[in-house]
Amino acid sequence: MASAHTAVNGPGSPKKPAGLRKVVAASLVGTTIEWYDYFLYGSAAALVFGRVFFPESDPLTGTLLSFLTYAIGFAARPVGAVVFGHFGDRLGRKKLLVISLLMMGGSTTLIGCVPGYDTLGVAAPLLLTTLRLVQGFALGGEWGGAVLLVSEHGDARRRGFWASWPQGGAPAGNLLAVGVLSLMTTVLSDDAFNSWGWRVPFLLSGVLVVLGMWIRLSVDESPLFKQALARSKERAARQKAEQLPFVAVVRDHWRDILVAMGARMAENISYYVITAFVLTYCVEHLGIAKQPALNAVLIGSAVQFCLIPLFGALSDRVGRKPVYLVGAIGVGVWSWAFFGLLDTKSFPALVLAVTVGLVFHSAMYAPQAAFFSELFATRMRYTGASIGAQLSSVAAGAPAPLIATALLGSYGSSVPISVYVGLSAVITVIAVALARETRGTDLAAVGPADPADSHAGTGAGAGVRPASGPTENASA
């Protein structure tokens, strides 16, 4: 009886619901603020940056250049994933999440202070691009830490549900960003908005960061990480060297990194086409006013925020792979109807196009946090999950609005864009179909417990055992 009690309530056991909800709330608030900052840039790039920072170009070229600075931020995300992953696997998830929030909020606030091209000339877009790189670096480390903090606090039975809540930070952040921009375009004239109104949402980030820091500093470090760190210190005392997390994850989990990269292709590309490029398509190509386009994304993001925990819970019942595959196939097929609905210029059709697209995206995005967490061992999990997620963002999310805008400019048609989204869906379906099902995985048993352990046969989930209820996080 005593041993059973220790297994459930000892230091390695999952958080009680009240404590877990606090961790979930902290992760959700933090990721919402980070994604608010990141998506705010994308929306502003579609609506105003071309005029402010590239006024000498024609509208389409100015938008292309704006999306180029938008894409450059993605290049810094894998670097952030490696750096934050390394220290997050060595020092803990919580400390690095505080740093990422400060970096993201600071750079976003400064973007709101950068003078336009008319004042600084070429220096203006250069400053803008530099701050975008800082945003990308910070976000590269944010995602992995936020989802792992929740995943490693909870148990296997409902991990899909609880870990999906930090994922809700993406639609919540987009909802907040688009909502503030929508409010500014409603109350201000086009001239006022283009002159100074667009800066207000960026400056607001400074206030949100204070709130996020207060909440994020109040949570505990992951208990599973504490166990792994203690074992690492024991080995260090025995003079058993621990390899760098990056070296260990590439050696032991290279197949899992490729699975994560492939799984994100359709998820990343479809999202930025549906939420960022849609603004350019509606405003520049169809001649629709900013407000209806922004409102459609606003409504779709609100629906997505509600759906993400439901899809996360569904993945706990039927598995990560089936839910993810439905989403990937769905966005591939829906991309053909998406632009047809936009072309009607009808607001209800616009809302339907964006909302259904985000429903399918939610089916991929919701189980992703638990799915990727369950692929990697504890002392390399931050590095592995972050690298797998962020490397794909360079090839998928970064150029998605840029490629879509270029295809539209070259062909004057949405058909090539639908083909582009469809091909990304094929890649994701193949990657997820080839992956192992991870539902019910014991996180303490994935691969070697630490980077210093066995060098052979740990890739692609070797040595993984399913968890059994609340004893999941007990010491292996």
Side-chain angles (χ1 to χ4, degrees):
M1 180 68 69
S3 59
H5 178 81
T6 301
V8 174
N9 298 315
S13 63
K15 278 273 184 182
K16 293 180 180 180
L20 180 57
R21 283 193 288 269
K22 182 179 180 182
V23 173
V24 169
S27 293
L28 174 60
V29 170
T31 53
T32 297
I33 295 169
E34 295 254 6
W35 282 115
Y36 165 80
D37 292 349
Y38 207 74
F39 289 143
L40 182 61
Y41 190 104
S43 298
L47 295 174
V48 72
F49 280 177
R51 298 181 180 88
V52 175
F53 294 101
F54 306 100
E56 296 186 351
S57 305
D58 63 82
L60 184 60
T61 303
T63 302
L64 276 169
L65 291 171
S66 296
F67 278 142
L68 182 59
T69 67
Y70 173 77
I72 286 173
F74 284 80
R77 285 169 65 169
V79 180
V82 172
V83 174
F84 278 84
H86 171 84
F87 289 104
D89 283 329
R90 287 295 183 91
L91 304 177
R93 289 46 168 136
K94 176 181 171 179
K95 295 175 183 176
L96 275 297
L97 286 173
V98 170
I99 294 173
S100 71
L101 184 61
L102 284 173
M103 290 183 68
M104 176 67 86
S107 59
T108 303
T109 303
L110 288 175
I111 287 173
C113 301
V114 176
Y117 184 91
D118 292 341
T119 303
L120 289 185
V122 176
L126 288 177
L127 279 173
L128 182 71
T129 302
T130 300
L131 292 171
R132 178 61 176 175
L133 285 169
V134 176
Q135 278 192 325
F137 182 81
L139 191 63
E142 163 69 21
W143 181 85
V147 300
L148 294 188
L149 197 63
V150 175
S151 295
E152 292 177 347
H153 270 97
D155 64 80
R157 290 175 301 172
R158 301 192 69 194
R159 185 181 298 126
F161 171 73
W162 290 116
S164 70
W165 279 99
Q167 299 291 79
N174 201 26
L175 185 66
L176 188 59
V178 175
V180 174
L181 282 172
S182 179
L183 175 64
M184 299 306 295
T185 59
T186 300
V187 300
L188 297 175
S189 66
D190 283 347
D191 288 341
F193 178 78
N194 293 334
S195 175
W196 59 268
W198 67 268
R199 298 180 183 275
V200 175
F202 285 89
L203 297 174
L204 179 62
S205 176
V207 179
L208 296 177
V209 167
V210 174
L211 171 65
M213 288 292 295
W214 176 68
I215 296 175
R216 187 158 277 185
L217 286 170
S218 67
V219 300
D220 295 329
E221 181 56 81
S222 151
L224 197 61
F225 173 80
K226 289 180 180 178
Q227 291 178 19
L229 183 61
R231 290 195 295 269
S232 174
K233 289 179 178 178
E234 290 175 4
R235 274 192 297 277
R238 298 195 303 267
Q239 297 183 340
K240 185 176 181 182
E242 181 180 62
Q243 277 198 317
L244 295 175
F246 177 78
V247 175
V249 80
V250 172
R251 182 197 67 210
D252 295 325
H253 289 283
W254 62 270
R255 293 183 184 87
D256 297 315
I257 291 175
L258 292 177
V259 165
M261 290 176 63
R264 287 212 76 196
M265 293 301 289
E267 178 265 306
N268 233 213
I269 289 173
S270 66
Y271 190 78
Y272 290 108
V273 168
I274 293 169
T275 61
F277 173 73
V278 68
L279 300 177
T280 297
Y281 188 84
C282 290
V283 175
E284 302 292 345
H285 182 67
L286 298 179
I288 299 174
K290 294 186 186 77
Q291 199 61 45
L294 285 168
N295 288 344
V297 176
L298 203 66
I299 294 169
S301 296
V303 172
Q304 184 178 30
F305 179 77
C306 298
L307 286 178
I308 281 179
L310 299 180
F311 278 120
L314 183 62
S315 77
D316 286 327
R317 290 181 174 272
V318 304
R320 318 297 184 215
K321 289 177 61 175
V323 178
Y324 211 113
L325 287 170
V326 166
I329 295 170
V331 294
V333 173
W334 186 250
S335 64
W336 296 94
F338 178 77
F339 289 103
L341 288 168
L342 298 184
D343 290 342
T344 66
K345 301 184 182 182
S346 161
F347 180 67
L350 188 60
V351 172
L352 180 64
V354 173
T355 302
V356 173
L358 290 178
V359 169
F360 287 123
H361 178 267
S362 300
M364 293 183 284
Y365 200 58
Q368 190 180 96
F371 184 28
F372 289 6
S373 298
E374 291 159 346
L375 292 174
F376 301 96
T378 301
R379 288 284 279 160
M380 57 186 89
R381 184 170 291 130
Y382 200 145
T383 301
S386 296
I387 289 175
Q390 302 309 332
L391 279 178
S392 62
S393 69
V394 177
L402 190 63
I403 290 173
T405 302
L407 289 172
L408 181 63
S410 297
Y411 295 95
S413 167
S414 63
V415 172
I417 306 172
S418 297
V419 172
Y420 170 51
V421 176
L423 289 175
S424 73
V426 172
I427 294 172
T428 292
V429 167
I430 293 172
V432 175
L434 293 176
R436 60 186 171 85
E437 176 57 65
T438 62
R439 178 174 66 101
T441 295
D442 181 346
L443 290 183
V446 180
D450 289 278
D453 287 353
S454 128
H455 289 210
T458 58
V464 177
R465 67 175 182 266
S468 55
T471 61
E472 175 209 0
N473 287 336
S475 299

